[in-house]
Amino acid sequence: MFMHNKRLMYTVMVSEPNPGLATLMLEQFGGPQGELAAAMRYFTQALADEDPGRKDMLLDIATEELSHLEVIGSIVSMLNRGVKGPDG
């Protein structure tokens, strides 16, 4: 079960828009070595583990990785705030 705490675990501040950096940050969000991939690896490892203590630890780590998605997503959003597309 997940519970959403509406406060980010870290204060995120971006001084100015930077779409190029936002694009790079998307790799950290959902790329092969990003937070989403890490969370899924820990979840699948936990589901296969029969040791209750290890399983619990792996699920805790997976949940923590998911919280990182919110931080990275907030950074990407801030880096793109106010930026117009090529047609806008």
Side-chain angles (χ1 to χ4, degrees):
M1 177 203 309
F2 294 94
M3 200 164 69
H4 180 235
N5 180 338
K6 298 189 187 317
R7 274 184 327 124
L8 284 178
M9 68 195 262
Y10 299 105
T11 300
V12 176
M13 292 185 286
V14 170
S15 59
E16 61 186 334
N18 186 334
L21 181 56
T23 300
L24 293 173
M25 294 296 293
L26 283 175
E27 181 71 20
Q28 182 59 34
F29 186 88
Q33 301 302 320
E35 303 297 338
L36 183 59
M40 294 304 104
R41 282 191 297 272
Y42 284 114
F43 268 124
T44 55
Q45 288 173 11
L47 296 174
D49 204 315
E50 295 179 9
D51 179 85
R54 211 170 30 237
K55 182 177 196 142
D56 187 51
M57 178 191 67
L58 289 166
L59 287 172
D60 285 348
I61 295 170
T63 303
E64 183 71 18
E65 294 296 334
L66 287 175
S67 73
H68 298 164
L69 284 173
E70 188 171 16
V71 174
I72 300 296
S74 294
I75 292 169
V76 170
S77 177
M78 289 177 194
L79 287 168
N80 283 318
R81 193 162 289 141
V83 175
K84 303 273 191 243
D87 298 331

